[in-house]
């Protein structure tokens, strides 16, 4: 959001899922769509197989989408800035840039170009490990085919240079005039069903709903007047990653965790546990008693998605209705009802909603981009924001004739290595992410018998070139150690990761990769560097534990 906000003025996916099949070229960088966005990946596959789109896949692992690609760039993790600058360099050398678009719609091109000149193919190849021929092939595909779209996800953002990686992606799209057209655009794939909605509603420390800045006096006055309260402070709050450290240092004394399992999902899990143990008062509101809930002073049982009414705003900014299909069990209640009750006990007034549709009307009244979105308009296929008025049809494609900020801005960005690189003591690189069968910390998917059967335990991907000298065979137990901790898990000897790189998920509490990960953050976006840290790998003489011994499965089902 910070990167696209800086480049374009709006931090959301620019295009819709529907127009993917109109793309003539697609760059998928740091996104494992067939496992993480499987439905959307079908559109990418169709674009390639049925409509002849040329696909470029850039990922340090050979993911399934690579089988559909015209060229695969299996670069070293954490070298995306060099890679993206290098592609731009070749596009300029081949004179494939869109001069008219650059002149009319963008600014700061010359300053940016001066930096791009420093990234010739030979240098980029040396940094990224990608052969120059492949770089040229990819640049040609992206530059010669119009429209060309870019998809990315956590492979780009979860770095200390995450913000800059996104700027580099935006630069490439502007260079080739691919903004504001069907089949083009810059498309960050949002992770959770409603994370776009959570951000839109101000689930960020620096904005109110609709990205109205907390620092903006007029915005603060508007919200204060509506709720009949004193003006809140102009200073933004803390981000999640900053809150943990503040809890450790005693600056945060109480924490209210809702729909989140930070003890497993935050980096450097041993440190996170310490932080949470220091908090004087911990509330956890969840549909299950997760690992964080075990430390809580108060647990508030919430209703799950199928047990309540509401809306989800999906990755393409489409607001959709969700309808209650069953009653919540026991004392569980919808999250909004729990909040309203708490607010009332704190003497709030004006929170007497009968139905979430009334909350939506309040959102519309205070949030220009949601101004025309009401429940009666959400029957059927929903609406894409911005949708400012009750007559407005919604906006499937952003920045059509003008960027949200006016002109798109080229931002010079330089290659910068990850915070922790392999050395003699920790000679390998660890990257982390997900697999198809499980969802994050497993609180939900590990309770599903079929999914647990398909993926019962962590399997650490390691290249045979690395496994051989370490005496590691497929299925062996291995110990992985970083500067922060150590875990033992089963090895999967496979050519999926680049040599020198291993891959783990964070789905399994008993073998948690976040014990190993580094909690350094991007200075602007504040996102942790989950995608690169240094580790040591050894073979361990022991049988892998039987799968049903996992705490969650035993306790949960
Ligand atoms: N089945 C399933 N689906 C999910 C989720 C889940 O847990 N399970 N989670 C959802 C959520 S919240 C999110 S955010 C998304 C995440 O979706 P993705 O971001 O697609 O998933 P990840 O596995 O985190 O990482 C994506 C890819 O980044 C690559 N990568 C690692 N390091 C680098 C690098 O330095 N550069 C580049 N270019 N690539 C790199 C990895 O090899 C991986 O293939 O998935 C969503 N969908
Ligand atoms: N190593 C590593 N760590 C990562 C990442 C990575 O790539 N690598 N990715 C990061 C990313 S992108 C993400 S999004 C995070 C995810 O991290 P988390 O959000 O902490 O993980 P989840 O397991 O999705 O936890 C969601 C919780 O919400 C609960 N829940 C589900 N529905 C509801 C509801 O309707 N109401 C309430 N109150 N609770 C509900 C679930 O039971 C679960 O306990 O992990 C991050 N951590
Ligand atoms: Mo996510």
């Amino acid at each position: 959001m910070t990167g696209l906000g800086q480049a374009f003025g709006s931090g959301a996916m620019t295009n819709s899922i529907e127009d993917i099949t109109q793309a003539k070229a697609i760059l998928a960088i740091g996104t494992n769509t067939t496992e993480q966005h499987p439905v959307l990946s079908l559109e990418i596959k169709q674009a390639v197989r049925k409509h002849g789109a040329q696909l470029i896949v850039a990922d340090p692992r050979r993911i399934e989408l690579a089988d559909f690609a015209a060229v695969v760039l299996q670069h070293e993790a954490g070298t995306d800035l060099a890679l993206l600058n290098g592609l731009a360099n070749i596009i300029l050398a081949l004179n494939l840039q869109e001069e008219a678009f650059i002149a009319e719609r963008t600014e700061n091109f010359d300053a940016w170009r001066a930096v791009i000149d420093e990234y010739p193919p030979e240098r980029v190849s040396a940094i990224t490990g990608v052969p120059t021929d492949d770089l040229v092939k990819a640049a040609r595909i992206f530059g010669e085919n119009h429209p060309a779209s870019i998809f990315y996800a956590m492979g780009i953002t979860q770095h200390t240079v995450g913000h800059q990686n996104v700027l580099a992606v935006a630069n490439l799209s502007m260079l080739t005039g691919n903004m504001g057209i069907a089949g083009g655009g810059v498309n960050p794939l949002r992770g959770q069903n409603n994370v776009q909605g959570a951000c839109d509603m101000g689930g960020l420390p620096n904005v109110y709903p609709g990205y109205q800045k907390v620092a903006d006096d007029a915005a603060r006055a508007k919200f204060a007047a509506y709720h009949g309260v004193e003006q809140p402070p102009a200073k933004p709050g803390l981000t999640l990653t900053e809150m943990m450290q503040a809890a450790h240092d005693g600056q945060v004394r109480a924490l209210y965790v809702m729909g989140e399992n930070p003890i497993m999902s935050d980096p450097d899990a041993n440190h996170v546990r310490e932080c949470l143990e220091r908090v004087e008062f911990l509330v956890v509101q969840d549909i299950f008693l997760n690992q964080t809930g075990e430390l809580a002073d108060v647990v508030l049982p919430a209703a799950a998605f199928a047990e309540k009414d509401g809306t989800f705003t999906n990755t393409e900014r489409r607001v959709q209705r969700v309808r209650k299909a069953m009653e919540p069990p026991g004392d569980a209640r919808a999250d909004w009802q729990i909040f309203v009750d708490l607010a009332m006990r704190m003497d709030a007034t004006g929170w007497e909603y009968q139905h979430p549709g009334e909350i939506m009307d309040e959102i519309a009244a205070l949030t220009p981009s949601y101004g025309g979105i009401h429940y009666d308009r959400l029957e059927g296929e929903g609406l894409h924001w911005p949708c400012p008025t009750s007559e407005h049809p919604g906006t499937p494609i952003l920045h059509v004739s003008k960027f949200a900020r006016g002109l798109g801005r080229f931002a010079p960005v330089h290659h910068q290595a990850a915070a922790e690189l392999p050395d003699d003591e920790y000679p390998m690189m660890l990257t982390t992410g997900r697999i198809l069968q499980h969802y994050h910390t497993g609180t939900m998917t590990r309770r599903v018998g079929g999914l647990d059967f398909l993926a019962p335990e962590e399997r650490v991907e390691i290249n045979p070139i690395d496994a051989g000298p370490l005496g590691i065979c497929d299925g062996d137990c291995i110990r992985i150690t970083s500067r922060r901790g150590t875990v033992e898990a089963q090895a999967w000897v496979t050519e999926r990761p680049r040599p020198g790189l291993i891959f783990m998920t964070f789905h399994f509490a008993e073998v948690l990769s976040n014990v190993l990960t580094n909690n350094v953050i991007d200075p602007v976006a504040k996102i942790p560097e989950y995608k690169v840290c240094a580790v040591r790998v050894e073979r361990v003489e022991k049988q892998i534990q039987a799968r049903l011994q996992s705490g969650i499965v035993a306790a949960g089902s």
Side-chain angles (χ1 to χ4, degrees):
M1 294 184 57
T2 59
L4 294 188
Q6 182 180 324
F8 303 147
S10 168
M13 180 161 161
T14 62
N15 283 55
S16 69
I17 296 170
E18 198 177 21
D19 73 42
I20 294 176
T21 49
Q22 295 181 47
K24 296 274 186 302
I26 297 174
L27 168 62
I29 179 162
T31 168
N32 184 7
T33 48
T34 61
E35 296 197 69
Q36 268 59 78
H37 297 88
V39 178
L40 189 144
S41 81
L42 298 177
E43 302 288 323
I44 297 181
K45 289 178 178 176
Q46 279 202 2
V48 173
R49 290 272 159 94
K50 291 202 179 147
H51 304 278
Q54 304 263 331
L55 175 67
I56 306 157
V57 169
D59 198 300
R61 291 159 65 226
R62 192 175 164 93
I63 52 174
E64 188 198 334
L65 213 54
D67 296 343
F68 293 75
V71 57
V72 179
L73 310 174
Q74 207 173 339
H75 59 307
E76 179 132 2
T79 64
D80 296 274
L81 281 169
L83 184 75
L84 291 160
N85 280 356
L87 294 179
N89 179 292
I90 300 166
I91 287 171
L92 283 164
L94 296 172
N95 214 17
L96 295 172
Q97 70 274 24
E98 281 283 320
E99 295 287 1
F101 185 93
I102 295 166
E104 287 156 29
R105 304 260 334 247
T106 70
E107 60 185 13
N108 209 32
F109 177 76
D110 292 336
W112 174 71
R113 182 170 193 160
V115 167
I116 294 304
D117 287 344
E118 297 173 33
Y119 292 83
E122 298 68 31
R123 179 177 175 220
V124 171
S125 177
I127 297 172
T128 60
V130 177
T132 51
D133 288 354
D134 288 345
L135 293 171
V136 173
K137 193 171 175 194
R140 262 196 192 287
I141 290 173
F142 198 81
E144 285 174 354
N145 293 283
H146 206 76
S149 60
I150 306 180
F151 292 84
Y152 69 86
M154 297 301 119
I156 281 287
T157 54
Q158 288 174 338
H159 295 276
T160 41
V161 294
H163 174 83
Q164 298 183 62
N165 277 343
V166 172
L167 290 174
V169 165
N171 292 336
L172 192 61
S173 186
M174 289 191 287
L175 175 68
T176 49
N178 277 302
M179 292 298 299
I181 52 172
V186 171
N187 298 295
L189 299 178
R190 301 308 303 249
Q192 293 129 325
N193 51 356
N194 197 27
V195 64
Q196 183 68 54
C199 295
D200 295 348
M201 289 307 105
L204 293 162
N206 58 338
V207 291
Y208 289 112
Y211 309 99
Q212 301 173 78
K213 290 197 169 60
V214 161
D216 175 4
D217 293 341
R220 277 200 326 286
K222 176 168 85 172
F223 283 91
Y226 188 92
H227 290 289
V229 295
E230 252 175 64
Q231 275 222 21
K235 195 168 155 242
L238 300 177
T239 63
L240 168 62
T241 42
E242 292 167 323
M243 274 179 216
M244 281 302 161
Q245 193 53 45
H248 189 268
D249 300 343
Q251 280 147 14
V252 165
R253 295 171 54 202
L255 210 54
Y256 192 134
V257 178
M258 170 198 171
E260 185 96 19
N261 191 9
I263 210 164
M264 276 186 67
S265 58
D266 274 15
D268 195 357
N270 291 334
H271 178 67
V272 172
R273 177 173 287 276
E274 262 178 54
C275 299
L276 290 173
E277 280 169 354
R278 285 192 188 197
V279 165
E280 288 166 44
F281 185 58
L282 178 64
V283 183
V284 170
Q285 180 169 318
D286 207 282
I287 61 170
F288 291 117
L289 184 62
N290 63 24
Q291 287 79 0
T292 308
E294 283 167 20
L295 295 180
D297 297 290
V298 176
V299 174
L300 300 171
F305 74 97
E307 299 160 351
K308 58 195 177 193
D309 280 292
T311 59
F312 289 157
T313 305
N314 76 357
T315 187
E316 51 168 7
R317 294 170 285 105
R318 189 199 293 264
V319 186
Q320 296 166 300
R321 264 290 263 128
V322 183
R323 289 176 186 77
K324 181 171 175 176
M326 57 200 287
E327 287 302 321
D331 293 333
R333 289 189 301 153
D335 291 293
W336 70 269
Q337 287 172 317
I338 300 175
F339 276 138
V340 165
D341 271 11
L342 272 172
M344 302 291 244
R345 289 187 197 202
M346 294 176 182
D347 298 329
T349 49
W351 288 53
E352 293 88 4
Y353 314 100
Q354 299 306 311
H355 190 271
E358 294 169 16
I359 302 177
M360 203 74 194
D361 296 338
E362 180 178 311
I363 293 166
L366 291 165
T367 314
S369 55
Y370 275 69
I373 303 183
H374 300 277
Y375 271 29
D376 58 359
R377 292 194 69 196
L378 293 177
E379 297 298 329
E381 297 187 336
L383 286 165
H384 295 264
W385 68 255
C387 176
T389 62
S390 295
E391 295 75 44
H392 195 283
T395 314
I397 304 180
L398 295 181
H399 317 296
V400 170
S401 50
K402 184 168 162 286
F403 283 100
R405 72 181 290 280
L407 294 174
R409 186 170 177 86
F410 280 96
V413 283
H414 270 290
H415 167 66
Q416 181 192 316
E420 191 181 73
L421 290 178
D423 55 17
D424 289 347
E425 214 182 332
Y426 300 96
M428 293 198 65
M429 206 182 260
L430 165 71
T431 195
T432 61
R434 305 145 165 85
I435 56 172
L436 174 69
Q437 294 84 352
H438 284 299
Y439 194 74
H440 297 160
T441 68
T443 45
M444 297 176 284
T445 51
R446 291 197 74 196
R447 285 184 162 81
V448 181
L451 296 176
D452 189 62
F453 174 80
L454 290 170
E457 64 199 311
E458 180 72 53
R459 293 168 77 210
V460 183
E461 293 179 13
I462 179 167
N463 192 290
I465 290 176
D466 300 309
L470 293 168
I472 296 167
C473 295
D474 196 39
D476 279 354
C477 181
I478 56 175
R479 181 179 302 129
I480 306 118
T481 309
S482 78
R483 288 189 172 79
R484 293 151 294 276
T486 182
V487 298
E488 289 179 3
Q490 188 188 147
W492 175 17
V493 179
T494 160
E495 281 168 347
R496 273 164 72 89
R498 272 179 68 88
L501 180 75
I502 64 167
F503 172 80
M504 293 181 74
T505 74
F506 59 111
H507 301 315
F508 301 91
E510 61 282 16
V511 199
L512 184 56
S513 64
N514 276 329
V515 165
L516 306 167
T517 49
N518 192 354
N519 70 1
V520 282
I521 58 179
D522 177 291
V524 186
K526 314 283 185 186
I527 191 169
E529 191 149 71
Y530 289 119
K531 292 293 185 259
V532 183
C533 76
V535 292
R536 182 170 65 236
V537 178
E538 309 150 274
R539 183 170 182 277
V540 184
E541 245 349 296
K542 110 173 166 202
Q543 286 288 312
I544 291 290
Q545 292 192 337
R547 48 178 284 246
L548 281 177
Q549 281 176 7
S550 96
I552 299 185
V553 173
S557 49

